[in-house]
Amino acid sequence: QVQLVESGGGLVQPGGSLRLSCAASGSIFRFNVMGWFRQAPGKERELVAAITSGGTTNYADSVKGRFTISGDNAKNTVYLQMNSLKPEDTAVYYCNAVLDRTDRGRRDYWGQGTQVTVSS
């Protein structure tokens, strides 16, 4: 029943910007963490950025200073503002949500992915 829907991907030139959105639905519990992963062909999926329900953020070193993650708890939505994009940022970006309950354990949910291509 939990569903994550991503949007905002596309083709941009190096140095450009994109804003990704992820809307979550179907859960009566607040997610402990929401974040973004990315995966390029032939590469393993890697964490890009994450944010807790309390607003604490974490970034991969490769995107720190260029990307900003934010969330709207009221709308169950998380955003990823990507600035100064590089060709190395080209990948499919996936939204991730974590529900960690003391009595039920950890559950991970994933969106369908949105393509980001940085090329001149």
PDB file of all heavy atoms in Angstrom, residues 27-50:
ATOM      1  N   SER A  27       0.981   5.229   4.132  1.00  0.00           N
ATOM      2  CA  SER A  27       1.471   4.889   5.460  1.00  0.00           C
ATOM      3  C   SER A  27       0.834   5.798   6.503  1.00  0.00           C
ATOM      4  O   SER A  27       0.779   7.011   6.325  1.00  0.00           O
ATOM      5  CB  SER A  27       2.991   5.001   5.538  1.00  0.00           C
ATOM      6  OG  SER A  27       3.453   4.733   6.850  1.00  0.00           O
ATOM      7  N   ILE A  28       0.368   5.189   7.592  1.00  0.00           N
ATOM      8  CA  ILE A  28      -0.186   5.984   8.679  1.00  0.00           C
ATOM      9  C   ILE A  28       0.889   6.396   9.669  1.00  0.00           C
ATOM     10  O   ILE A  28       0.618   7.146  10.605  1.00  0.00           O
ATOM     11  CB  ILE A  28      -1.310   5.225   9.406  1.00  0.00           C
ATOM     12  CG1 ILE A  28      -0.770   3.953  10.067  1.00  0.00           C
ATOM     13  CG2 ILE A  28      -2.434   4.897   8.447  1.00  0.00           C
ATOM     14  CD1 ILE A  28      -1.789   3.230  10.917  1.00  0.00           C
ATOM     15  N   PHE A  29       2.113   5.904   9.471  1.00  0.00           N
ATOM     16  CA  PHE A  29       3.228   6.249  10.332  1.00  0.00           C
ATOM     17  C   PHE A  29       4.172   7.193   9.604  1.00  0.00           C
ATOM     18  O   PHE A  29       4.360   7.094   8.398  1.00  0.00           O
ATOM     19  CB  PHE A  29       3.994   4.994  10.766  1.00  0.00           C
ATOM     20  CG  PHE A  29       3.173   4.009  11.538  1.00  0.00           C
ATOM     21  CD1 PHE A  29       2.610   2.908  10.911  1.00  0.00           C
ATOM     22  CD2 PHE A  29       2.971   4.181  12.888  1.00  0.00           C
ATOM     23  CE1 PHE A  29       1.849   1.996  11.626  1.00  0.00           C
ATOM     24  CE2 PHE A  29       2.212   3.277  13.617  1.00  0.00           C
ATOM     25  CZ  PHE A  29       1.651   2.178  12.983  1.00  0.00           C
ATOM     26  N   ARG A  30       4.769   8.094  10.353  1.00  0.00           N
ATOM     27  CA  ARG A  30       5.760   8.977   9.781  1.00  0.00           C
ATOM     28  C   ARG A  30       7.038   8.189   9.511  1.00  0.00           C
ATOM     29  O   ARG A  30       7.502   7.420  10.354  1.00  0.00           O
ATOM     30  CB  ARG A  30       6.051  10.139  10.725  1.00  0.00           C
ATOM     31  CG  ARG A  30       7.189  11.052  10.268  1.00  0.00           C
ATOM     32  CD  ARG A  30       7.437  12.174  11.252  1.00  0.00           C
ATOM     33  NE  ARG A  30       6.322  13.093  11.295  1.00  0.00           N
ATOM     34  CZ  ARG A  30       6.264  14.170  12.065  1.00  0.00           C
ATOM     35  NH1 ARG A  30       7.288  14.453  12.865  1.00  0.00           N
ATOM     36  NH2 ARG A  30       5.203  14.961  12.051  1.00  0.00           N
ATOM     37  N   PHE A  31       7.606   8.366   8.333  1.00  0.00           N
ATOM     38  CA  PHE A  31       8.845   7.696   7.997  1.00  0.00           C
ATOM     39  C   PHE A  31       9.991   8.255   8.825  1.00  0.00           C
ATOM     40  O   PHE A  31      10.101   9.466   9.029  1.00  0.00           O
ATOM     41  CB  PHE A  31       9.160   7.845   6.511  1.00  0.00           C
ATOM     42  CG  PHE A  31       8.201   7.110   5.629  1.00  0.00           C
ATOM     43  CD1 PHE A  31       7.267   7.800   4.868  1.00  0.00           C
ATOM     44  CD2 PHE A  31       8.226   5.722   5.558  1.00  0.00           C
ATOM     45  CE1 PHE A  31       6.377   7.125   4.057  1.00  0.00           C
ATOM     46  CE2 PHE A  31       7.331   5.041   4.749  1.00  0.00           C
ATOM     47  CZ  PHE A  31       6.410   5.741   4.000  1.00  0.00           C
ATOM     48  N   ASN A  32      10.847   7.370   9.301  1.00  0.00           N
ATOM     49  CA  ASN A  32      11.997   7.790  10.088  1.00  0.00           C
ATOM     50  C   ASN A  32      13.017   8.528   9.231  1.00  0.00           C
ATOM     51  O   ASN A  32      13.600   9.522   9.667  1.00  0.00           O
ATOM     52  CB  ASN A  32      12.653   6.586  10.752  1.00  0.00           C
ATOM     53  CG  ASN A  32      11.729   5.843  11.684  1.00  0.00           C
ATOM     54  OD1 ASN A  32      11.050   4.891  11.278  1.00  0.00           O
ATOM     55  ND2 ASN A  32      11.674   6.285  12.936  1.00  0.00           N
ATOM     56  N   VAL A  33      13.246   8.021   8.036  1.00  0.00           N
ATOM     57  CA  VAL A  33      14.211   8.601   7.113  1.00  0.00           C
ATOM     58  C   VAL A  33      13.651   8.541   5.702  1.00  0.00           C
ATOM     59  O   VAL A  33      13.040   7.545   5.305  1.00  0.00           O
ATOM     60  CB  VAL A  33      15.569   7.862   7.145  1.00  0.00           C
ATOM     61  CG1 VAL A  33      16.593   8.577   6.272  1.00  0.00           C
ATOM     62  CG2 VAL A  33      16.087   7.722   8.565  1.00  0.00           C
ATOM     63  N   MET A  34      13.880   9.586   4.937  1.00  0.00           N
ATOM     64  CA  MET A  34      13.633   9.567   3.508  1.00  0.00           C
ATOM     65  C   MET A  34      14.892  10.076   2.817  1.00  0.00           C
ATOM     66  O   MET A  34      15.595  10.927   3.356  1.00  0.00           O
ATOM     67  CB  MET A  34      12.430  10.418   3.115  1.00  0.00           C
ATOM     68  CG  MET A  34      11.112   9.894   3.656  1.00  0.00           C
ATOM     69  SD  MET A  34       9.664  10.774   3.009  1.00  0.00           S
ATOM     70  CE  MET A  34       9.658  10.200   1.294  1.00  0.00           C
ATOM     71  N   GLY A  35      15.160   9.533   1.645  1.00  0.00           N
ATOM     72  CA  GLY A  35      16.372   9.942   0.971  1.00  0.00           C
ATOM     73  C   GLY A  35      16.375   9.603  -0.503  1.00  0.00           C
ATOM     74  O   GLY A  35      15.381   9.129  -1.056  1.00  0.00           O
ATOM     75  N   TRP A  36      17.521   9.865  -1.113  1.00  0.00           N
ATOM     76  CA  TRP A  36      17.710   9.630  -2.530  1.00  0.00           C
ATOM     77  C   TRP A  36      18.942   8.782  -2.768  1.00  0.00           C
ATOM     78  O   TRP A  36      20.002   9.044  -2.194  1.00  0.00           O
ATOM     79  CB  TRP A  36      17.861  10.953  -3.289  1.00  0.00           C
ATOM     80  CG  TRP A  36      16.617  11.779  -3.308  1.00  0.00           C
ATOM     81  CD1 TRP A  36      16.252  12.745  -2.418  1.00  0.00           C
ATOM     82  CD2 TRP A  36      15.568  11.706  -4.272  1.00  0.00           C
ATOM     83  NE1 TRP A  36      15.042  13.282  -2.762  1.00  0.00           N
ATOM     84  CE2 TRP A  36      14.600  12.667  -3.898  1.00  0.00           C
ATOM     85  CE3 TRP A  36      15.355  10.941  -5.410  1.00  0.00           C
ATOM     86  CZ2 TRP A  36      13.427  12.867  -4.629  1.00  0.00           C
ATOM     87  CZ3 TRP A  36      14.189  11.137  -6.136  1.00  0.00           C
ATOM     88  CH2 TRP A  36      13.251  12.089  -5.749  1.00  0.00           C
ATOM     89  N   PHE A  37      18.784   7.767  -3.587  1.00  0.00           N
ATOM     90  CA  PHE A  37      19.877   6.962  -4.091  1.00  0.00           C
ATOM     91  C   PHE A  37      19.976   7.161  -5.595  1.00  0.00           C
ATOM     92  O   PHE A  37      19.038   7.642  -6.233  1.00  0.00           O
ATOM     93  CB  PHE A  37      19.656   5.478  -3.786  1.00  0.00           C
ATOM     94  CG  PHE A  37      19.828   5.110  -2.338  1.00  0.00           C
ATOM     95  CD1 PHE A  37      18.889   5.479  -1.389  1.00  0.00           C
ATOM     96  CD2 PHE A  37      20.927   4.371  -1.927  1.00  0.00           C
ATOM     97  CE1 PHE A  37      19.041   5.124  -0.053  1.00  0.00           C
ATOM     98  CE2 PHE A  37      21.083   4.005  -0.594  1.00  0.00           C
ATOM     99  CZ  PHE A  37      20.152   4.386   0.335  1.00  0.00           C
ATOM    100  N   ARG A  38      21.098   6.781  -6.174  1.00  0.00           N
ATOM    101  CA  ARG A  38      21.229   6.825  -7.616  1.00  0.00           C
ATOM    102  C   ARG A  38      22.023   5.623  -8.096  1.00  0.00           C
ATOM    103  O   ARG A  38      22.835   5.063  -7.365  1.00  0.00           O
ATOM    104  CB  ARG A  38      21.890   8.125  -8.087  1.00  0.00           C
ATOM    105  CG  ARG A  38      23.349   8.291  -7.676  1.00  0.00           C
ATOM    106  CD  ARG A  38      23.852   9.670  -8.080  1.00  0.00           C
ATOM    107  NE  ARG A  38      25.251   9.873  -7.736  1.00  0.00           N
ATOM    108  CZ  ARG A  38      25.894  11.030  -7.864  1.00  0.00           C
ATOM    109  NH1 ARG A  38      25.249  12.097  -8.324  1.00  0.00           N
ATOM    110  NH2 ARG A  38      27.168  11.123  -7.524  1.00  0.00           N
ATOM    111  N   GLN A  39      21.763   5.244  -9.338  1.00  0.00           N
ATOM    112  CA  GLN A  39      22.446   4.107  -9.927  1.00  0.00           C
ATOM    113  C   GLN A  39      22.677   4.363 -11.411  1.00  0.00           C
ATOM    114  O   GLN A  39      21.741   4.618 -12.158  1.00  0.00           O
ATOM    115  CB  GLN A  39      21.637   2.825  -9.736  1.00  0.00           C
ATOM    116  CG  GLN A  39      22.357   1.569 -10.189  1.00  0.00           C
ATOM    117  CD  GLN A  39      21.650   0.307  -9.737  1.00  0.00           C
ATOM    118  OE1 GLN A  39      20.442   0.310  -9.499  1.00  0.00           O
ATOM    119  NE2 GLN A  39      22.395  -0.775  -9.609  1.00  0.00           N
ATOM    120  N   ALA A  40      23.933   4.296 -11.808  1.00  0.00           N
ATOM    121  CA  ALA A  40      24.311   4.409 -13.201  1.00  0.00           C
ATOM    122  C   ALA A  40      24.539   3.013 -13.766  1.00  0.00           C
ATOM    123  O   ALA A  40      24.833   2.073 -13.015  1.00  0.00           O
ATOM    124  CB  ALA A  40      25.569   5.259 -13.343  1.00  0.00           C
ATOM    125  N   PRO A  41      24.420   2.841 -15.086  1.00  0.00           N
ATOM    126  CA  PRO A  41      24.655   1.519 -15.685  1.00  0.00           C
ATOM    127  C   PRO A  41      26.021   0.964 -15.312  1.00  0.00           C
ATOM    128  O   PRO A  41      27.036   1.649 -15.420  1.00  0.00           O
ATOM    129  CB  PRO A  41      24.552   1.795 -17.188  1.00  0.00           C
ATOM    130  CG  PRO A  41      23.660   2.983 -17.288  1.00  0.00           C
ATOM    131  CD  PRO A  41      24.005   3.831 -16.092  1.00  0.00           C
ATOM    132  N   GLY A  42      26.039  -0.278 -14.859  1.00  0.00           N
ATOM    133  CA  GLY A  42      27.279  -0.914 -14.470  1.00  0.00           C
ATOM    134  C   GLY A  42      27.796  -0.516 -13.111  1.00  0.00           C
ATOM    135  O   GLY A  42      28.869  -0.993 -12.702  1.00  0.00           O
ATOM    136  N   LYS A  43      27.077   0.336 -12.411  1.00  0.00           N
ATOM    137  CA  LYS A  43      27.490   0.795 -11.091  1.00  0.00           C
ATOM    138  C   LYS A  43      26.508   0.313 -10.035  1.00  0.00           C
ATOM    139  O   LYS A  43      25.345   0.026 -10.316  1.00  0.00           O
ATOM    140  CB  LYS A  43      27.566   2.323 -11.048  1.00  0.00           C
ATOM    141  CG  LYS A  43      28.563   2.939 -12.012  1.00  0.00           C
ATOM    142  CD  LYS A  43      29.984   2.738 -11.537  1.00  0.00           C
ATOM    143  CE  LYS A  43      30.964   3.513 -12.396  1.00  0.00           C
ATOM    144  NZ  LYS A  43      32.360   3.383 -11.908  1.00  0.00           N
ATOM    145  N   GLU A  44      26.995   0.234  -8.811  1.00  0.00           N
ATOM    146  CA  GLU A  44      26.127  -0.110  -7.697  1.00  0.00           C
ATOM    147  C   GLU A  44      25.331   1.110  -7.260  1.00  0.00           C
ATOM    148  O   GLU A  44      25.760   2.254  -7.418  1.00  0.00           O
ATOM    149  CB  GLU A  44      26.944  -0.646  -6.521  1.00  0.00           C
ATOM    150  CG  GLU A  44      27.618  -1.980  -6.785  1.00  0.00           C
ATOM    151  CD  GLU A  44      28.276  -2.556  -5.553  1.00  0.00           C
ATOM    152  OE1 GLU A  44      28.269  -1.888  -4.502  1.00  0.00           O
ATOM    153  OE2 GLU A  44      28.791  -3.679  -5.631  1.00  0.00           O
ATOM    154  N   ARG A  45      24.168   0.847  -6.711  1.00  0.00           N
ATOM    155  CA  ARG A  45      23.346   1.918  -6.185  1.00  0.00           C
ATOM    156  C   ARG A  45      24.036   2.570  -4.993  1.00  0.00           C
ATOM    157  O   ARG A  45      24.557   1.876  -4.115  1.00  0.00           O
ATOM    158  CB  ARG A  45      21.983   1.363  -5.778  1.00  0.00           C
ATOM    159  CG  ARG A  45      20.973   2.403  -5.350  1.00  0.00           C
ATOM    160  CD  ARG A  45      19.589   1.778  -5.293  1.00  0.00           C
ATOM    161  NE  ARG A  45      19.586   0.573  -4.473  1.00  0.00           N
ATOM    162  CZ  ARG A  45      18.603  -0.314  -4.459  1.00  0.00           C
ATOM    163  NH1 ARG A  45      17.537  -0.123  -5.233  1.00  0.00           N
ATOM    164  NH2 ARG A  45      18.676  -1.379  -3.687  1.00  0.00           N
ATOM    165  N   GLU A  46      24.040   3.897  -4.952  1.00  0.00           N
ATOM    166  CA  GLU A  46      24.723   4.615  -3.897  1.00  0.00           C
ATOM    167  C   GLU A  46      23.816   5.671  -3.282  1.00  0.00           C
ATOM    168  O   GLU A  46      22.951   6.242  -3.947  1.00  0.00           O
ATOM    169  CB  GLU A  46      26.002   5.281  -4.422  1.00  0.00           C
ATOM    170  CG  GLU A  46      25.757   6.348  -5.477  1.00  0.00           C
ATOM    171  CD  GLU A  46      27.025   7.070  -5.904  1.00  0.00           C
ATOM    172  OE1 GLU A  46      28.078   6.849  -5.263  1.00  0.00           O
ATOM    173  OE2 GLU A  46      26.980   7.843  -6.872  1.00  0.00           O
ATOM    174  N   LEU A  47      24.039   5.925  -2.010  1.00  0.00           N
ATOM    175  CA  LEU A  47      23.290   6.957  -1.306  1.00  0.00           C
ATOM    176  C   LEU A  47      23.757   8.331  -1.754  1.00  0.00           C
ATOM    177  O   LEU A  47      24.956   8.606  -1.807  1.00  0.00           O
ATOM    178  CB  LEU A  47      23.478   6.809   0.201  1.00  0.00           C
ATOM    179  CG  LEU A  47      22.852   7.909   1.070  1.00  0.00           C
ATOM    180  CD1 LEU A  47      21.327   7.854   0.992  1.00  0.00           C
ATOM    181  CD2 LEU A  47      23.319   7.781   2.518  1.00  0.00           C
ATOM    182  N   VAL A  48      22.806   9.201  -2.060  1.00  0.00           N
ATOM    183  CA  VAL A  48      23.098  10.572  -2.447  1.00  0.00           C
ATOM    184  C   VAL A  48      22.864  11.517  -1.277  1.00  0.00           C
ATOM    185  O   VAL A  48      23.729  12.323  -0.926  1.00  0.00           O
ATOM    186  CB  VAL A  48      22.248  11.009  -3.646  1.00  0.00           C
ATOM    187  CG1 VAL A  48      22.521  12.469  -4.002  1.00  0.00           C
ATOM    188  CG2 VAL A  48      22.521  10.105  -4.839  1.00  0.00           C
ATOM    189  N   ALA A  49      21.683  11.439  -0.684  1.00  0.00           N
ATOM    190  CA  ALA A  49      21.328  12.314   0.425  1.00  0.00           C
ATOM    191  C   ALA A  49      20.171  11.704   1.192  1.00  0.00           C
ATOM    192  O   ALA A  49      19.370  10.952   0.639  1.00  0.00           O
ATOM    193  CB  ALA A  49      20.954  13.716  -0.077  1.00  0.00           C
ATOM    194  N   ALA A  50      20.076  12.036   2.468  1.00  0.00           N
ATOM    195  CA  ALA A  50      18.996  11.535   3.306  1.00  0.00           C
ATOM    196  C   ALA A  50      18.618  12.588   4.332  1.00  0.00           C
ATOM    197  O   ALA A  50      19.433  13.445   4.697  1.00  0.00           O
ATOM    198  CB  ALA A  50      19.405  10.240   4.009  1.00  0.00           C
TER     199      ALA A  50
END
